[in-house]
Amino acid sequence: MKYFETYLRSEDCKEISVHCDVKIFNWLINYTKMHSTDSAIKAPVLTSKIVVSILISSDFLQMHDLVEKCLRFCHANMNAVIKAPSNMDCIPERLVKRLSEYFNHDELRNVIDPKDKFRRQDTTSKNSVITYLGL
């Protein structure tokens, strides 16, 4: 995790405070361990229930490959992601914009979003996918 590089360069013992769900942090640690050269750990499974939390956390931790994986997962599974109990308003604007670039107009029209979690009709909202696609 690129975010921790500055902390881990020093040989001094440091305390690190983590402000996220323990299950999400454990998922991220397993994902990182899986990428180490001598690890036999299976890849953790990305699901619609956790993808938003993983996306936000991996972005904060500067895990660029995982951010991209989460964006692709959201695109491929958007209807399931919307049904999951997650707060999509917490996704940073730049990531919403990147996610919107995966969708064409027809794909966006096929997203079932009765609560406007993703396709917010309020075009004054900074995080409106509608705004980024110009609909």
Side-chain angles (χ1 to χ4, degrees):
M1 294 181 206
K2 192 170 183 77
Y3 175 81
F4 293 110
E5 283 180 3
T6 56
Y7 295 103
L8 300 176
R9 283 189 186 137
S10 170
E11 293 183 24
D12 298 334
C13 184
K14 296 188 179 185
E15 185 175 319
I16 298 174
S17 177
V18 177
H19 299 281
C20 76
D21 184 276
V22 174
K23 291 179 184 177
I24 297 300
F25 191 72
N26 188 47
W27 193 101
L28 292 166
I29 293 295
N30 287 335
Y31 181 86
T32 303
K33 284 181 181 178
M34 177 207 59
H35 281 39
S36 68
T37 54
D38 56 347
S39 177
I41 294 177
K42 283 178 58 175
V45 177
L46 198 56
T47 67
S48 57
K49 288 184 178 182
I50 63 169
V51 70
V52 171
S53 294
I54 297 293
L55 173 63
I56 293 166
S57 297
S58 61
D59 179 57
F60 177 78
L61 295 169
Q62 302 170 31
M63 301 171 72
H64 305 297
D65 62 325
L66 184 53
V67 168
E68 200 61 38
K69 184 175 185 173
C70 289
L71 292 172
R72 287 191 308 267
F73 182 93
C74 286
H75 173 249
N77 302 283
M78 186 51 74
N79 286 328
V81 172
I82 288 171
K83 288 180 184 176
S86 60
N87 184 356
M88 296 181 78
D89 287 332
C90 295
I91 301 174
E93 179 181 358
R94 62 187 161 64
L95 292 181
V96 173
K97 184 174 185 200
R98 283 180 56 195
L99 179 57
S100 72
E101 292 168 355
Y102 281 89
F103 288 86
N104 63 40
H105 293 284
D106 292 333
E107 289 174 322
L108 186 59
R109 284 188 189 97
N110 290 328
V111 172
I112 301 166
D113 188 9
K115 295 182 181 177
D116 285 335
K117 287 174 75 174
F118 178 65
R119 294 186 318 165
R120 293 190 259 312
Q121 299 299 323
D122 175 13
T123 56
T124 61
S125 171
K126 290 191 312 183
N127 287 351
S128 172
V129 172
I130 300 291
T131 300
Y132 293 122
L133 289 177
L135 296 178

